[in-house]
Amino acid sequence: MFVQVLFYAFSAVLIASALGVIVARNPVYSALSLVLAFFTSAALWLLIEAEFLAIVLVLVYVGAVMVLFLFVVMMLDLNTTSLRQGFARYAWLGWLTALAVIVQMVGVFWFRGLGIDATQGAVARSAEVSNTRELGEVLYTQYVYPFELASVVLLVAIVAAITLTMRRRPGLKPQDVAKQVAVRREDRVRLVKGLGPKAKSSGESAASAEEGQS
Amino acid sequence: MADLLAHWDSLPTYLQSTFWILVVTVVLILSVAFTTLWERKVIGWMQLRKGPNRVGSLFGLVPGIFQPFADVIKLLLKEVVIPSASNKWLFRIAPAITLVPAFAAWAVMPLDPALVIADIDAGLLYVLSLTSVGVYGVILAGWATNSKYAFLGAMRSAAQVVAYEIAMGFALVGVVMAAGTLNLGDIIRAQEGGVSNWFFLWLFPLFVVYLIAGVAETNRAPFDVAEGESEIVAGFHVEYSGIAFALFFLAEYANMILISALTAVFFLGGWLSPFEGLLGADSALGAPGFHWLFLKLFFFLTCFMWYRATFPRYRYDQIMRLGWKILIPVTLVWIAVEGLLVYFQVGPWSR
């Protein structure tokens, strides 16, 4: 009973925050709604004792991905009115995508296509079973090739992102820390010697003038 | 007394946990208060000053013992100014967002061989995810303030925390490999059998990386560019006053205590006694207990102050360089070395 109340409460917040992502006018609010959506879905996963998935969702998506997302959204001074201009023209594309998703969901839930019976719901495992160990065993034995393949795809994405930003472009002044550390005094300061008695006497007179003032 | 204990055991578990949650929270808040005093004292001594010594004393000893309470009363009485151009709702909620994770993480902390509020299997991941959520308060405070200084501080903090979290996570991967579990209590039990089995000896590079990343995660000197008094005034909390500022302060110190405790748990055997094996487990010094965790925690906490009194602030690009180009490769190399050690059954994990 208590679990059911929790489930409906979290689901309500999840749906509300998911709507907030697409409805909010301010992109920062959208990003924050997405954070809330991740949190509540993690809570829903905790209810079926999938604690590993729940915590990793918070750790990866809330703790790292969304921080960078917020970072970018806050830095960009997004002009929402100009972004909205193409909205009506490309609306059919959005409707098409929505239709495809709805067809898929009907296929899964109504006609039980693809051999997936989602209507049964997830089965909560007993508390004795270590989620982490089970997932790890499956991931590194049965699904080891897809897993490795996914990591290679991620690596390629990392390399691509770095090559995109590391290209030589005009006006770029990267710091060479080794060079900065290797600097000696002689490179920066030049001691001037032998300016002659004239400079010396003028220096003295300046000093005496200061003394007189004080 | 025995009657009382029996009565206590008959209470339902949720009442017992509620009691311990209250105890931990209150003790933590008091510890934060005295940590601020201890910090000012330690830094004072390091700079040949006396530190606060005016407010109160205990029987002529410990002058200045009530300084934290004077500070709290002062902050409570001050007006909380909310800038008119700020985003009022986010401005108000940001301090709470930093504070809650700093306290919630204590739920899985093994305080004593018999005492942990929530003994969950994925405790390490729980702690890691909560410490990474705390940065939202900083980012939101900086953005909601609608000031350039605050915003710069928030941006610096976001980039820094994300960078050092990776190094921190990798250091903890080494701990998990050595312990074979994500449960914090079991990680301590994997270090049983004397000081030579504690992980800081076997994972020394990871221990150092974790310590550095911990200082960076808490935005403490020399990594306190998010505040950076000399460049951006006070960074993300420049417009916060009164008790709203005190909440940020509370969160920062609670995080310091948390990181110190976690370092003790992961690398120095938590509540294990350093004399284990040398003295009997039933002798006063040989028995494990909360006092050992407290001593280790206190040592690391004092180290935080020591760093602050010793090191000048890092330059921003140097922070990024240290995080990405030095700490992460070090952890990767040592994880590979540790893999070999585990494979050839060298080290405490071969038992």
Side-chain angles (χ1 to χ4, degrees), chain A residues 9-20 33 36-41 44:
Chain A
F10 281 126
S11 307
V13 177
L14 174 58
I15 292 169
S17 53
L19 280 175
S33 305
L36 188 59
F38 282 140
F39 256 115
T40 38
S41 1
L44 285 181

Side-chain angles (χ1 to χ4, degrees), chain B residues 30 32-38 40-41 51-75:
Chain B
L30 282 178
V32 166
F34 286 112
T35 306
T36 60
L37 176 69
W38 178 242
R40 292 167 73 182
K41 280 279 185 191
N53 63 353
R54 294 291 107 179
V55 190
S57 70
L58 283 183
F59 316 113
L61 300 166
V62 214
I65 186 83
F66 296 124
Q67 183 69 43
F69 300 104
D71 291 343
V72 167
I73 292 168
K74 185 198 88 168
L75 284 169

